[in-house]
Amino acid sequence: MPTQRHGPRSRRERPAKPALTRPGIIATAVELMRAEGLERVTMRRLAAELDTGPASLYVYVRNTAELHAAVLDGMLGAVDLTPVTATGDWQDRLVQVLVSYTKLLFDNPGLAQSALVARPSGPGYLNLLEAVLALLNEGAVPDGRAAWLCDVLLQFATATAAEQATRDHNTEAEQEMDALVAAIRNASAETHPRIATLGDDLVSGPGSDRLDWGFRLLINGAIHTPRPIEQNR
Amino acid sequence: MPTQRHGPRSRRERPAKPALTRPGIIATAVELMRAEGLERVTMRRLAAELDTGPASLYVYVRNTAELHAAVLDGMLGAVDLTPVTATGDWQDRLVQVLVSYTKLLFDNPGLAQSALVARPSGPGYLNLLEAVLALLNEGAVPDGRAAWLCDVLLQFATATAAEQATRDHNTEAEQEMDALVAAIRNASAETHPRIATLGDDLVSGPGSDRLDWGFRLLINGAIHTPRPIEQNR
DNA sequence: ACCTGAACACCGTTCAAGT
DNA sequence: ACCTGAACACCGTTCAAGT
């Protein structure tokens, strides 16, 4: 067996180029997103990080949307699920879990948006789903409603984060928000009496109050709203 | 008054190149979106349609997100607001308006997604907002809650459309849905007992039933959930 | 003030060809 | 089966220069 020749290192930064694997690719993508934000997690940028060409990634990843969904699932491990087994009011604990999920999305602008398009289906998402369902079960929410409600709860959290996320790190979106505020203030009392009456209240309030109220509204709503054909199973 | 000279047409397709104006640009963008979908409403594509270069558009439009918001606002005129002044249960009529809005977004994949990022603030949006607020007022929902609720209602409609829209015209998203369904079916009863129990119910049901239930849940929820510090005004 | 050409700095995805 | 180079067909946005 001939000894393998050890040439001088051609790459100083990445001395050993690891073989491509799906978990490895996604781990690198998560790193990249933490370092530079989701908007930099592109096929080309990621391929460069892995010392290869973009075409190579298509063996392991269907497309960019699927890649982003996998990245999100990888981050969902950071959601605090301890309230599930803690003591106290089940609604309060459910809100805690949901707030933790929402905060994660808040801190990672862009992730929330991609979550609305391509839902993750990995272990991170399943654990979060199970946690929400466990708390709804503890609260004796009928199974049929619980199944649909958990979807609405996570969707509300995701959509809220998607809206806020883009408004935070993005000057343009801020200006659009200002445009909406201005439009509401300028609304004529004759053509838009309700908007004129409510005024700033329409766009006011600290985000966390609105978020908390929203979660409690959803839970209360489900308790008071039977499904079209209620299956109690 | 000198007669205007009629030179030979230099451009057969677009005999008169109209001056650029913001309303004109947005009208062309709406046309383009109806013809080819929002994903084709790019600065470059739109500029080509207007016989100019992309740079010219930046005098009238801040960026692509703002353009898309303006397109959406232009389409909101098609939402059926007649239930506002009709007779019958106010909740049913509110749901009718919201379903009309949702359907509009359903038919125009991509528009919903952009609505979550850059909210419109034009006449179309204000009219829709006023309609929802008028019905909530008719239902005697306290002002403070109505102000926040209308946001949640429209957000729910928008997010639902954004999810479904991408799933419809997009084969990739379908496969991701399948991945989620498969993941839920394969969930172990030991690690994920609630998911295993509820099973297909988590992803089941005709979309319109879930949508209707969601709207009614939100309305009921608001009726039963005071704001953190309720201002009754 | 408005409009433009040209450039800068990127994208996703496919495919034939190699190993 | 996996990996690659190269290509195809696009993007958004800026800026100096013109009118």
Side-chain angles (χ1 to χ4, degrees), chain A residues 7-155:
Chain A
R9 282 196 199 171
S10 48
R11 276 174 257 96
R12 297 262 162 99
E13 308 285 329
R14 249 174 287 281
K17 179 177 164 181
L20 288 177
T21 62
R22 190 178 150 101
I25 287 168
I26 287 160
T28 307
V30 171
E31 267 178 59
L32 185 58
M33 120 129 240
R34 278 195 232 264
E36 310 189 20
L38 188 72
E39 68 278 6
R40 302 281 293 162
V41 183
T42 66
M43 292 302 219
R44 294 181 106 105
R45 187 77 188 68
L46 180 57
E49 204 72 16
L50 291 161
D51 258 335
T52 184
S56 306
L57 302 181
Y58 284 82
V59 178
Y60 305 96
V61 159
R62 206 184 338 263
N63 53 39
T64 308
E66 202 238 324
L67 171 67
H68 286 179
V71 168
L72 173 57
D73 201 89
M75 317 254 332
L76 286 182
V79 175
D80 178 21
L81 299 182
T82 57
V84 177
T85 49
T87 55
D89 181 65
W90 69 272
Q91 294 199 21
D92 290 342
R93 286 181 287 134
L94 176 53
V95 171
Q96 279 170 38
V97 170
L98 292 167
V99 166
S100 168
Y101 169 69
T102 313
K103 273 190 182 153
L104 181 90
L105 294 181
F106 255 74
D107 293 343
N108 299 279
L111 215 51
Q113 240 189 291
S114 92
L116 285 170
V117 182
R119 284 217 218 160
S121 60
Y125 187 72
L126 288 188
N127 289 339
L128 176 58
L129 205 57
E130 180 67 25
V132 173
L133 289 172
L135 284 164
L136 292 176
N137 190 49
E138 189 183 328
V141 175
D143 280 3
R145 294 186 218 179
W148 284 9
L149 176 60
C150 68
D151 226 51
V152 182
L153 286 167
L154 293 174
Q155 190 205 54

Side-chain angles (χ1 to χ4, degrees), chain B residues 14 19 29 45 56 58 73 75 110-111 134 157 178 181 185-186 195:
Chain B
R14 249 173 288 280
R45 188 77 187 67
S56 307
Y58 284 82
D73 200 88
M75 316 255 330
L111 215 50
D178 291 350
V181 172
R185 285 205 182 122
N186 291 337
I195 293 176

Side-chain angles (χ1 to χ4, degrees), chain B residues 17 20 44 51-56 59-60:
Chain B
K17 178 178 168 179
L20 287 178
R44 294 180 105 105
D51 259 333
T52 182
S56 307
V59 179
Y60 305 96

